[in-house]
Amino acid sequence: MTFKRNLLTLAVASVLVSGMHSARAADAPAPDQQATATPGTDDAAKKKEDQAAELGTVTVTGVRAAIERAISIKQNSNEIVEAISAEDIGKLPDNSIAESLARLPGLAAQRVAGRASTVSLRGFAGDFSGTLLNGREQVSTGDNRAIEFDQYPSELLSGVVVYKTPEASLVGQGIAGTIAMQSVRPLDYNKQVVQVGARGEALSNSSVNANTDSKGYRVNASYIDQYLDHTLGLAIGYARLQSPTQDTRWEAWGYTGVTVPAGTPGMTSGDTAQALGGTKVYADSTEGTRDALMTTLEWRPNDQYTSTLDLYYSKFNQKLVYGGFEAGLPWGSGTVLTNPVVSNGQLVAGTWANVKPVLREEVDHHDDKIRSIGWNNKLRFGDGWEASADLSYSKANSSQSLMEEYAGTPKNGGATDTWNFSIDPSTGLPHFGVGLNYADPNLIKLTDSGGWGQDGYLKFPKTSDELKAARVDLSRDINSPISKVSAGINYNERTKTRHSDEYFMDLPGSSQGHTGVAVSVPASCLTSSTYLGYVGFPSIVSWDPDCAYHQTYSLQQFTHKDIYNKDWTVNEKVGTAYLKFDIDTEVAGLPLRGNVGAQYVHVNQNADAVATTEASGSVVANPVHAGTSYSNFLPSLNLVLTLPQENYLRFGAGREMARPRMDYMRANFDYGINTQASGTVNVFPCTGSDGIVHPHCRIEGSGGNPKLKPFLADAYDLSYEKYWETKAYVSATYFFKSLKTYVYNQNVLFDYTGLPTSSFNGIVPGSYQGIATVPQNGTGGYMRGYELTASMPLDVLWEPLDGFGVLASYANTHSSICPGGPGSCGPFPGLSKYVSQATIYYEKAGFSVRMAATHRSSYLGEVQAFGADLELHPIDKETVADFQLGYTIPTGKYEGLNFLLQVQNLFNEPYRESYGPGEPRQYTIYGRRVLLGVNYKF
């Protein structure tokens, strides 16, 4: 039985990092508090208040208390959800909420620089999920809609609810589901609370680049208090993270067939073997500092009126330093292979002559900021009436500077080298034996050693995301099978902008396209050499790229149509109206509850960018403005049938919507005339400036599509749950999502009338009707799967196991969606067929030990690649395990003082990418992260 399908094996072999616990629940508040409900869902809020009061009598503490709290609340939920709860305020010890989300059934995180960043839900990447903070839609620091959850410290959140079925009053939901983050409400506490925590951290990988660190720290503090006879409440939380990453990274250029010399063992003269085309070897250092502040001011002068002001601020500054080299092997200039060793058609060892590597120093300064404010007012009046109004504003800014500097032996006449190599079949890592001393600054100069036509490159990508929203809700309690009626309207305006300036970096005496100058690295910029022994390579020259930039290089702005196509603005105005009926009745003597309702969503969208073409070596750019509007009706139904002996049957159905990716909606366009067009569609004769008639001409282009409509799906969920009081439960869920529309690139007819024809070099087209390749709405497919979950304290099975417990989940998901359209069915981005998590814990007399692991099978992930553009790369399966050991003083003067030891990535799981079977693309070792800390509440 394989690991991914054996939950018991996973549970016994895995580790839990945190005081965060998953359960499928409507809410999971910290002690003495409730999570914030989505504005307008006041029925849920009232139930949570009652449940929170009931939970005040629970005497168990720690992880067990959090699990029982989540189970108790889950039994009253109307939707199918997953939830995260803190044991106590400030005790969610993951680096970010992304790592916590990855422990929930059916969710999986993608590691970026060794940390969980983006999250997939039920096989869908982040752009298909809605994300809320205190019921309000969130902006993103990325290029699209997907939230980068590493912006949200887990210490400042009281919990997270993941809605897997749609609900009419939940605005901003997606096809995959909705991730609703929640902060504390100070008036839900009955006393002043002050919490402080600190952790130091150290990496198992020492510093791999000069002037970087392998140690960091985390501190957090929270203050919660009530004033004016418990009518005014204040909650302030601050968290600071200063955390490094030190990793070693190998990448392949790709693979190609090479002809092996005569006499190669096992090969016939003229045979070919599959060979590594070229290689990249890097030592990567990241130093990130994140400061976050969460504040809530709550005023409740009486039982009828509550006013709440929420503020959130996050600043995440990162400096990434990469030192290493890359070199072409068969794809190098003039390289020669000797002494080849071939195994199963693969070139696994030999010698390459005339190798000329390019040494590189790169630095990426990446600064992100998020600011948000929300004001909610709620009034209860009359006979069961309640009204609420909510105003919010949020903005995210992201700015990067990515700089590359190159060195080596001079392009013309510089020394080449002979490299012996072998390939590790288990990892794909090459090992090299070289002849030259690459750590000698007298040999290695700043120069365009690879003949790329540039001495260095500098780019400044920036994004801005601004969201304004207003919402009003009205509800009435009714004593009938329809227990409540709710209605509301939400309106938001969103503007997302992306821009990039890019420059060639020129050494003295050179210019773009006319390189060849070799300059010594300034002595004041040299640092200790970079060791690349993990591929058998000796140390190489290393320098401070910021220092060299200021002393050595000049800039020449690069204007190219590809750069113009990175600049765009997308505007959206979205109005949502909903009507919802809560159900509380009986069927055949069995309690039945739930809700039925619908949303009506109207969207007005437009985009601004430029249409580009080239004429006589220059870019011709013209402004483009385009857009559309559309409306959708989204019905939803949730039912919960309570069966005897604490069995529950849940059913959910609804029409779901996800608005298109922002980069799909950009108005950028690139076009030209093809004088040798194939086919017959919009093909016309054209006349050249010399009078020659070309019979097969067509204007062709490609770009974004501001007129895109949303992704739509019909979703169905069926879930069975069995409880043992509030201590344990098991559940099985089946889901099916039928996508009515999906977006992929298509060739469409396009009218080029009005666009400049200067790029046609005097050619007169016979028609301005052509074709364009753009994202377009097309046919969909389905996403279906099942999820199994269990939460069990083992004393339920055998009393001597008191203190031990297990949590485990397994998800199996399948897709028929063709991401490239009909006939182009490849992996669906973000989908891992198998996702599983498990935890085994022991907690008694203040001591706690927890072990957990998360596993996801291989998937297609989105990464930032060349030119700061996003690309889809196949990422291999991985299992990441963590460990936690803790002790909390149970009584006395220091009651509640908690000591904690954590080891993240316990088994040093590498990050791997592949081109395909037997063709590894990337292999990165992040190492382990060890944290030692203390947490105290008083």
Side-chain angles (χ1 to χ4, degrees):
M1 186 175 291
T2 61
F3 175 84
K4 62 177 176 280
R5 302 186 185 185
N6 191 331
L7 286 176
L8 181 58
T9 301
L10 182 60
V12 173
S14 332
V15 187
L16 179 69
V17 205
S18 69
M20 306 193 66
H21 317 291
S22 67
R24 303 182 48 230
D27 183 21
D32 304 320
Q33 73 173 81
Q34 69 181 56
T36 302
T38 301
T41 57
D42 303 314
D43 52 340
K46 187 175 186 303
K47 288 180 180 178
K48 290 168 186 172
E49 289 171 0
D50 296 339
Q51 292 156 3
E54 293 171 7
L55 289 169
T57 63
V58 176
T59 56
V60 293
T61 60
V63 56
R64 184 76 172 263
I67 294 172
E68 292 194 12
R69 183 166 51 249
I71 292 175
S72 177
I73 298 173
K74 181 176 81 74
Q75 289 177 305
N76 294 303
S77 67
N78 287 335
E79 297 77 39
I80 297 176
V81 303
E82 311 290 352
I84 296 169
S85 172
E87 293 178 46
D88 208 339
I89 182 69
K91 291 185 67 176
L92 300 185
D94 287 319
N95 286 323
S96 73
I97 205 64
E99 296 176 358
S100 307
L101 287 167
R103 307 183 195 288
L104 293 176
L107 283 79
Q110 179 177 327
R111 288 194 291 172
V112 176
R115 293 190 181 88
S117 179
T118 57
V119 174
S120 297
L121 172 55
R122 284 185 160 179
F124 289 92
D127 289 304
F128 291 89
S129 300
T131 302
L132 312 176
L133 177 61
N134 295 325
R136 304 174 182 103
E137 191 172 354
Q138 291 298 285
V139 290
S140 169
T141 57
D143 289 356
N144 286 290
R145 300 184 190 276
I147 299 298
E148 295 181 340
F149 286 97
D150 53 4
Q151 299 289 329
Y152 297 91
S154 56
E155 299 97 325
L156 299 186
L157 298 174
S158 65
V160 181
V161 176
V162 179
Y163 292 84
K164 290 184 172 180
T165 55
E167 196 254 62
S169 67
L170 195 64
V171 174
Q173 52 197 336
I175 284 179
T178 305
I179 299 172
M181 299 180 289
Q182 303 153 347
S183 64
V184 302
R185 288 293 175 257
L187 292 183
D188 293 330
Y189 285 76
N190 55 22
K191 61 181 181 179
Q192 181 190 85
V193 176
V194 179
Q195 176 274 334
V196 292
R199 290 184 180 90
E201 65 177 67
L203 305 176
S204 61
N205 289 349
S206 58
S207 299
V208 295
N209 284 289
N211 303 320
T212 62
D213 205 345
S214 61
K215 294 181 174 61
Y217 65 89
R218 298 172 58 183
V219 295
N220 67 88
S222 297
Y223 172 81
I224 301 172
D225 207 348
Q226 305 80 34
Y227 312 93
L228 303 179
D229 196 23
H230 213 277
T231 61
L232 182 66
L234 174 66
I236 301 176
Y238 170 76
R240 180 179 177 86
L241 170 75
Q242 189 171 86
S243 183
T245 299
Q246 302 285 347
D247 66 74
T248 53
R249 170 171 52 102
W250 168 80
E251 294 185 42
W253 280 9
Y255 294 83
T256 187
V258 297
T259 303
V260 298
T264 300
M267 303 290 286
T268 303
S269 179
D271 282 354
T272 61
Q274 192 76 347
L276 177 65
T279 186
K280 300 180 182 180
V281 179
Y282 283 96
D284 302 331
S285 301
T286 303
E287 295 181 323
T289 301
R290 182 191 62 207
D291 291 286
L293 179 68
M294 184 96 71
T295 301
T296 297
L297 185 65
E298 189 176 20
W299 183 45
R300 188 183 298 155
N302 51 53
D303 291 339
Q304 287 73 45
Y305 177 70
T306 303
S307 182
T308 307
L309 181 68
D310 294 304
L311 297 98
Y312 178 70
Y313 174 80
S314 173
K315 180 178 69 173
F316 199 176
N317 298 332
Q318 299 181 79
K319 180 180 180 181
L320 299 86
V321 177
Y322 313 122
F325 72 87
E326 56 183 285
L329 300 174
W331 287 341
S333 177
T335 54
V336 178
L337 174 66
T338 58
N339 307 318
V341 177
V342 178
S343 175
N344 298 321
Q346 303 285 329
L347 181 65
V348 297
T351 301
W352 286 105
N354 301 326
V355 179
K356 196 170 189 180
V358 176
L359 278 64
R360 300 177 61 136
E361 286 284 352
E362 303 179 30
V363 61
D364 174 4
H365 296 278
H366 194 157
D367 299 328
D368 294 332
K369 288 183 181 179
I370 297 177
R371 291 89 74 195
S372 69
I373 182 171
W375 184 31
N376 181 265
N377 291 272
K378 187 179 299 182
L379 177 66
R380 292 185 174 95
F381 62 96
D383 184 15
W385 287 91
E386 183 169 294
S388 66
D390 192 89
L391 297 173
S392 63
Y393 173 84
S394 59
K395 187 172 185 178
N397 293 97
S398 178
S399 62
Q400 283 182 271
S401 64
L402 297 94
M403 183 165 59
E404 308 169 3
E405 297 173 0
Y406 318 131
T409 60
K411 178 173 66 174
N412 300 316
T416 61
D417 202 0
T418 298
W419 289 8
N420 299 314
F421 74 95
S422 62
I423 305 292
D424 183 340
S426 65
T427 63
L429 279 174
H431 285 252
F432 298 106
V434 303
L436 295 178
N437 179 9
Y438 292 97
D440 182 2
N442 295 313
L443 173 68
I444 303 300
K445 308 289 186 180
L446 297 175
T447 186
D448 177 20
S449 182
W452 296 342
Q454 61 192 53
D455 299 321
Y457 201 74
L458 178 61
K459 44 188 171 280
F460 297 97
K462 298 179 181 179
T463 62
S464 174
D465 195 359
E466 186 177 44
L467 180 64
K468 307 170 186 176
R471 174 172 177 157
V472 293
D473 300 271
L474 182 66
S475 65
R476 171 98 187 270
D477 290 324
I478 303 173
N479 187 19
S480 72
I482 302 298
S483 61
K484 189 172 189 176
V485 179
S486 304
I489 299 174
N490 186 89
Y491 176 79
N492 68 51
E493 295 184 356
R494 186 173 189 173
T495 299
K496 184 100 175 185
T497 300
R498 190 184 191 279
H499 177 76
S500 183
D501 291 321
E502 304 191 12
Y503 300 86
F504 289 112
M505 297 172 60
D506 297 331
L507 291 167
S510 71
S511 61
Q512 193 272 322
H514 300 86
T515 57
V517 173
V519 177
S520 295
V521 178
S524 60
C525 300
L526 286 169
T527 63
S528 56
S529 58
T530 300
Y531 178 65
L532 301 174
Y534 70 100
V535 292
F537 207 90
S539 298
I540 63 171
V541 167
S542 180
W543 65 96
D544 180 344
D546 286 323
C547 174
Y549 163 69
H550 290 293
Q551 294 193 31
T552 310
Y553 293 91
S554 59
L555 297 181
Q556 177 187 167
Q557 187 161 13
F558 184 34
T559 55
H560 189 272
K561 58 184 182 180
D562 290 344
I563 298 173
Y564 279 98
N565 287 330
K566 298 177 184 179
D567 298 350
W568 46 262
T569 296
V570 173
N571 302 291
E572 291 179 326
K573 296 179 180 180
V574 182
T576 304
Y578 78 88
L579 179 64
K580 185 184 72 166
F581 300 91
D582 285 1
I583 300 169
D584 190 356
T585 185
E586 289 187 356
V587 174
L590 298 174
L592 177 71
R593 56 189 167 82
N595 53 65
V596 61
Q599 290 184 354
Y600 178 79
V601 182
H602 179 76
V603 178
N604 189 313
Q605 66 190 35
N606 61 75
D608 294 282
V610 293
T612 58
T613 187
E614 288 188 341
S616 303
S618 299
V619 177
V620 178
N622 292 273
V624 176
H625 176 85
T628 191
S629 62
Y630 57 85
S631 300
N632 290 101
F633 181 72
L634 309 175
S636 62
L637 170 69
N638 290 282
L639 296 174
V640 184
L641 183 66
T642 304
L643 303 173
Q645 298 181 345
E646 296 187 286
N647 290 277
Y648 291 80
L649 188 64
R650 300 176 185 271
F651 174 75
R655 170 66 62 90
E656 299 173 327
M657 182 181 84
R659 296 194 293 278
R661 288 170 56 111
M662 295 290 193
D663 56 355
Y664 287 177
M665 295 165 59
R666 61 190 174 90
N668 302 85
F669 211 80
D670 175 55
Y671 66 99
I673 191 165
N674 182 356
T675 58
Q676 297 179 339
S678 59
T680 60
V681 177
N682 281 353
V683 174
F684 302 94
C686 63
T687 304
S689 57
D690 54 5
I692 297 177
V693 175
H694 303 274
H696 300 287
C697 298
R698 179 170 58 206
I699 305 177
E700 299 174 354
S702 63
N705 183 3
K707 298 183 178 182
L708 273 179
K709 302 294 177 64
F711 300 88
L712 291 173
D714 289 338
Y716 305 92
D717 290 75
L718 184 64
S719 178
Y720 164 76
E721 300 164 2
K722 164 63 180 175
Y723 296 86
W724 288 265
E725 299 177 345
T726 62
K727 295 182 178 180
Y729 80 96
V730 295
S731 69
T733 303
Y734 175 81
F735 68 90
F736 183 90
K737 297 179 185 291
S738 175
L739 269 75
K740 301 305 177 184
T741 64
Y742 192 76
V743 176
Y744 50 88
N745 281 336
Q746 301 177 44
N747 291 327
V748 298
L749 303 180
F750 196 87
D751 184 359
Y752 290 87
T753 302
L755 290 175
T757 60
S758 54
S759 65
F760 300 167
N761 296 318
I763 297 175
V764 179
S767 172
Y768 287 93
Q769 304 300 311
I771 63 171
T773 303
V774 296
Q776 195 80 0
N777 294 97
T779 58
Y782 65 79
M783 186 79 74
R784 69 184 183 195
Y786 63 88
E787 299 161 349
L788 306 175
T789 308
S791 174
M792 185 76 63
L794 298 184
D795 61 346
V796 171
L797 305 177
W798 189 33
E799 190 173 347
L801 293 177
D802 180 37
F804 288 94
V806 172
L807 298 90
S809 70
Y810 170 75
N812 184 308
T813 307
H814 174 72
S815 170
S816 72
I817 303 167
C818 297
S824 181
C825 296
F828 186 82
L831 171 62
S832 289
K833 182 173 178 59
Y834 308 110
V835 174
S836 51
Q837 303 90 14
T839 299
I840 184 168
Y841 65 88
Y842 174 79
E843 186 173 53
K844 198 169 185 179
F847 290 95
S848 64
V849 180
R850 308 175 198 177
M851 306 179 68
T854 61
H855 171 83
R856 69 180 303 183
S857 58
S858 59
Y859 64 102
L860 194 64
E862 193 169 57
V863 301
Q864 189 179 70
F866 179 77
D869 294 330
L870 297 175
E871 292 181 0
L872 291 171
H873 289 189
I875 300 174
D876 292 359
K877 64 181 181 181
E878 64 180 17
T879 302
V880 180
D882 302 296
F883 170 80
Q884 178 175 299
L885 175 66
Y887 177 71
T888 301
I889 297 176
T891 59
K893 181 179 179 181
Y894 298 105
E895 178 183 352
L897 182 62
N898 172 255
F899 301 93
L900 192 67
L901 171 67
Q902 294 173 273
V903 183
Q904 299 175 350
N905 195 20
L906 181 66
F907 301 120
N908 197 13
E909 180 76 354
Y911 171 87
R912 306 176 190 232
E913 296 179 5
S914 298
Y915 288 104
E919 295 185 345
R921 179 175 188 159
Q922 181 175 337
Y923 187 90
T924 301
I925 295 292
Y926 293 115
R928 301 172 183 84
R929 187 182 302 271
V930 180
L931 300 97
L932 182 63
V934 62
N935 193 81
Y936 188 47
K937 185 183 78 170
F938 54 92

